[in-house]
Amino acid sequence: MTTHPTIRDPERRKKDVLARLAEEVDIWVASASADARPYLVPLAFHWDGADIWLCTRLTNPTGRNLAAGGSTRLALGHTRDVVLIDGDVTTLVVGDVPTEAIEGFAAKCGWDPRNSGPAYGWFRVRPTAVEAWLEEPELAGRHLMRDGVWAV
């Protein structure tokens, strides 16, 4: 017999999502090429309270896809404790990234991309949808954000 944890209310789920965004260092980044070839990689990230900041080489598949596609799906957690985030992507060069975002990224991730040269681009992901669930009993009510607005 499988024992499921207590079902969290939406406010608790949102609180848990925000804590994970603040604490976790890596996030799964899904993108697709122009010919619909999928890519899924983990990248370090920084959450500034409104946006998720990513940094990777502009010439690798993920960098090219994020820059060209304008959207992504991000994921935290394992298959029994999931957070999915859909977002709009803006590609920026280091001079256009707020200093607070770069310094927050460097402090959290232990890597300052400014020291890695101009091959790296910055990607601001503005969440448009957030889903979170802890096993099957939480599938109902998993939509915490829609159209960029928190539902809770």
Side-chain angles (χ1 to χ4, degrees):
M1 182 166 112
T2 302
T3 304
H4 294 287
T6 303
I7 297 173
R8 299 170 297 171
D9 64 27
E11 291 79 16
R12 180 71 223 181
R13 290 187 208 193
K14 179 181 176 184
K15 184 177 180 181
D16 291 349
V17 166
L18 294 174
R20 291 178 78 177
L21 286 168
E23 296 166 8
E24 294 194 27
V25 176
D26 298 314
I27 196 163
W28 288 100
V29 179
S31 65
S33 65
D35 64 352
R37 183 176 180 141
Y39 288 90
L40 179 66
V41 297
L43 292 178
F45 78 98
H46 170 62
W47 166 251
D48 69 6
D51 298 313
I52 296 167
W53 292 91
L54 308 169
C55 188
T56 192
R57 287 184 181 271
L58 291 165
T59 56
N60 70 28
T62 300
R64 288 191 312 265
N65 295 345
L66 290 174
S71 65
T72 187
R73 173 166 272 194
L74 308 173
L76 292 168
H78 54 79
T79 58
R80 293 187 181 258
D81 187 6
V82 179
V83 175
L84 296 179
I85 302 167
D86 293 328
D88 294 331
V89 178
T90 302
T91 305
L92 302 164
V93 296
V94 68
D96 294 333
V97 179
T99 302
E100 299 80 25
I102 296 173
E103 291 176 357
F105 183 96
K108 181 180 182 185
C109 303
W111 170 56
D112 189 336
R114 293 175 291 192
N115 300 326
S116 297
Y120 286 85
W122 287 86
F123 303 91
R124 180 183 65 211
V125 179
R126 175 132 318 143
T128 58
V130 176
E131 299 175 56
W133 68 91
L134 181 59
E135 299 190 18
E136 185 277 333
E138 284 195 357
L139 283 174
R142 68 185 174 272
H143 298 279
L144 302 178
M145 175 187 282
R146 291 177 195 245
D147 300 320
V149 178
W150 288 102
V152 294

